[in-house]
Amino acid sequence: STRWSLLRRRPLSSSPNAAPTVGPGPLEPPDLPRLANSARISLSPQEAEEFAPKIQQVVDWFGQLQAVDLESIEPSLRADTAAGSSLREDKAEPFANRDAIIEALPSYDDPYIKVPNALTKE
Amino acid sequence: MPPPLQAHRMLLSHRRASPIPRRRFTAVSSLSSAPAKTLAPGPPASSILSIRESLLSGERTAADITSEYLSRLRRTEPSLRSFIHVAAAAAEREAEELDRRIASGGRDAVGPLAGVLVGVKDNLCTASMPSTGGSRILDGFQPAYDATAVRRLREAGAIVVGKTNLDEFGMGSTTEGSGFQVTTNPWDDSRVPGGSSGGSASAVSARQCVVSLGSDTGGSVRQPASFCGVVGLKPTYGRVSRFGLMAYASSLDVVGCFGSSVFDTATILSVIAGHDKMDSTSSSHDVPDYRSDLASLSLLESKPLNNVRIGIIQETLGEGVDAGVISSIRSAASHLEQLGSVVEEVSMPSFSLGLPAYYILASSEASSNLSRYDGIRYGQQVSADDLNEMYGDSRANGLGHEVKMRILMGTYALSAGYYDAYYKRAQQVRTLVKKSFEEALGKYDILISPAAPSAAYKIGMVLSAHL
C-alpha cells in the first residue's frame, strides 16, 4: 500500500538493535533471519524467503490500524473478572506428580536436565 | 438411543411477562423444579438426561451405553478421524466401575454427568492420556495433571473417551493445520469440520461421544459448531479456568463446549465454570445454574420473547457472506420475531477493525506462549552441539508452518520499539470494539450474527490459513 512505501526510509542508526521510532517515523520491514533468531526457530534461507512476503503482506494489512484515531483511548489490559487479589498465599505446596514431570524430560540424568553447551561465541 | 441428528427446536429461556427495564438479557424462570420432568414428550432434547434416566431406572448400564458409543466411534473413525487418541479400555473400565458403584450405592453414585462420554480437545491436558496440542513437537507427551475443566467433568462422573483433533495449538479454522490428521465433516466427508476445535465438533455431531470440550480464541468453538450442526458455546473470558489449556493467546483463550442440545451444553458449562485458584485470570463472579433458566416449550406462553430487543450486527451480513447464510439468519430473525421479540439491524463500524487487532494480539501473545516448546522439558528434542541450535532445530522440526508464521509475526509485532505501533494500538482498538458492544447492548438485549460467513469449506480449499 502507498502508506508503506512512504515509511520505508533508512533508520538513523545502522545497528540492528536500534529501536526504530514509531508514529510518523519508519517501522522497519520484517527482517526474517533476525526474527527467526529471536524466536529461536531455525529457518533455512529458502524458508526465510518463503515466509518473508507472507509476513510482509500481513504487516501491510496491519497498517489499517495506523489510520485509526486512538487519541485518549485506554488500552484494554484486563478483563472484569471480579478478582480480588489474584495472588495466593506464599506457601510452598509440593506437587503430587513429580514422576510424570521427570518422565516427560527428553534428556535427564538425575538430578540434572541435560542440555548441550550453552556458551557460544557470539 | 441417541437423539436423531436433526436440529432440535431449542429450549428457550423464559422471561417474565411483566415489563422489565431494558438491560442485558437475563432470563428469569418462574419454574422452580429441575428441568428433568418438564421436557416436552418426544425425542429427548438432552442426551445427558436420557443417559441419567436410563442409569437411575436400571434400564441400561453404563457399560452398555459406553459400548454403544465406542462401537459407533470405531465404525465412523476411519472416515472422520476426529480423535488423535482414543482411550477405549479406560472408558470401558470406568463404565464398569460406575455400574458397580450404582449397584451398591444406588442414586448417590450417579453424579450429574455419570456415564456421559466426553471428547477432550487435545490442547487440554489429561494426565492419563497423551496430549499433543495437535503438534508434532508434543508427540508422545503425557501431562502430569488434568486441566481443571477436565478434572471437574471427571468429578461429576463423566468418562473421557479420547482426545480430539485440532489445528496445531489452536491456530487455524479447518483442522487441516493439525500435525497429525485431517478431520472430516460428518455431513460431507469432502468438507472440513471447521477449526480449530474440529475434532470436538465432529465427534459430537457424529455421536461418537455425548459432549466435548474445545477452546475458542477467535471463533474456534463457534465456527466448527456451525459447520458440524451442533451447539457450541464460547463462555465469557474468565468463566472457565484455563489451567491445563495449552496457551495460545492468554488474553483471548477460553475453554468451551459442544453438545447436541442447548440443555447438554448448559449442563457442561455449569460443571466446568467457576473460579479456580490455579488460574489468576479466572472470574470470581457467581456461577448461576444455567439449566434452571431453560424451560420446556410446552410450558411457555405463546410469545415468550415479548419485550426482548435483538440486534443483528449489520457488518456480519455484508460483503463476502454467502447468500445461504444471510437467508438463514434472516429466517432465524423472523422466527424470533414470531416469538415476540423486536429484531433490528444495528451497525457496529468498529467491528471490522477487530480482525487485524485480534491477529496482532493473538500472534504477539502466541510468540510468547509458544516459547516454552523448546525440546528441553517435554516433547520432541533434536540433538545439537549448542543450546540455541537445539532450541532452533527442535522448534523447526516440531512446529508446523502456520504456527511458525504466527510466532514470527508476533515476534515482529513485539520487537523493541514496536509495542506502541502494534500491540498497544491493538489493545486500544480492543477498547473501541468493547465500547461499541457496550453501547449496542445498552439498546439491545441480545446481538446476533452468523458464526461463519459460509457453510463448511471443501478440504484443501483454504490453502494458506493466515487468519
Side-chain angles (χ1 to χ4, degrees), chain B residues 128-143:
Chain B
S128 55
M129 294 178 207
S131 305
T132 65
S135 179
R136 290 283 174 188
I137 210 167
L138 287 181
D139 198 6
F141 170 63
Q142 192 152 309

Side-chain angles (χ1 to χ4, degrees), chain A residues 4 19-20 22 27-30 32 35-36 38-43 47 50-51 54-55 57-59 61-62 64-68 70 73-84 86 93 95 97 100-101 104-107 113 115-118 120 122, chain B residues 141 144-145 237-238 277 280-285 353 355-357 359-360 375-379 381 384-388 390-393 395-396 401 404-405 407-409 411-412 415-418 420-422 424-432 434 466-467:
Chain A
W4 189 255
V22 294
L27 287 172
E28 279 298 298
L32 254 302
L35 290 179
S38 295
R40 297 288 188 266
I41 300 176
S42 304
L43 284 188
E47 279 176 303
E50 247 178 68
F51 276 114
K54 292 180 187 173
I55 291 184
Q57 210 173 35
V58 180
V59 169
W61 177 65
F62 287 168
Q64 66 187 285
L65 290 195
Q66 304 303 319
V68 185
L70 294 170
I73 306 281
E74 280 305 299
S76 284
L77 293 178
R78 198 141 176 102
D80 164 32
T81 53
S86 55
E93 291 172 14
F95 180 65
N97 200 0
I101 295 177
L105 294 164
S107 277
I113 298 175
V115 297
N117 181 22
T120 51
E122 259 191 85
Chain B
F141 170 63
Y145 53 87
Y237 182 84
K277 71 176 167 101
S280 67
T281 63
S282 80
S283 173
S284 297
H285 286 299
L353 291 175
L355 196 54
Y359 200 63
I360 290 171
I376 305 300
R377 288 156 297 163
Y378 31 68
Q381 179 181 94
D385 293 330
D386 79 61
L387 187 56
N388 281 335
M390 175 169 279
Y391 292 152
D393 292 350
R395 289 159 68 76
H401 180 91
K404 285 176 186 166
M405 256 288 285
I407 291 174
L408 292 167
M409 261 329 315
T411 306
Y412 174 72
S415 299
Y418 288 6
D420 282 1
Y422 293 119
K424 182 178 170 197
R425 192 156 266 270
Q427 288 283 54
Q428 288 171 302
V429 167
R430 189 174 194 165
T431 301
L432 276 186
K434 179 175 173 236
H466 281 304
L467 305 170

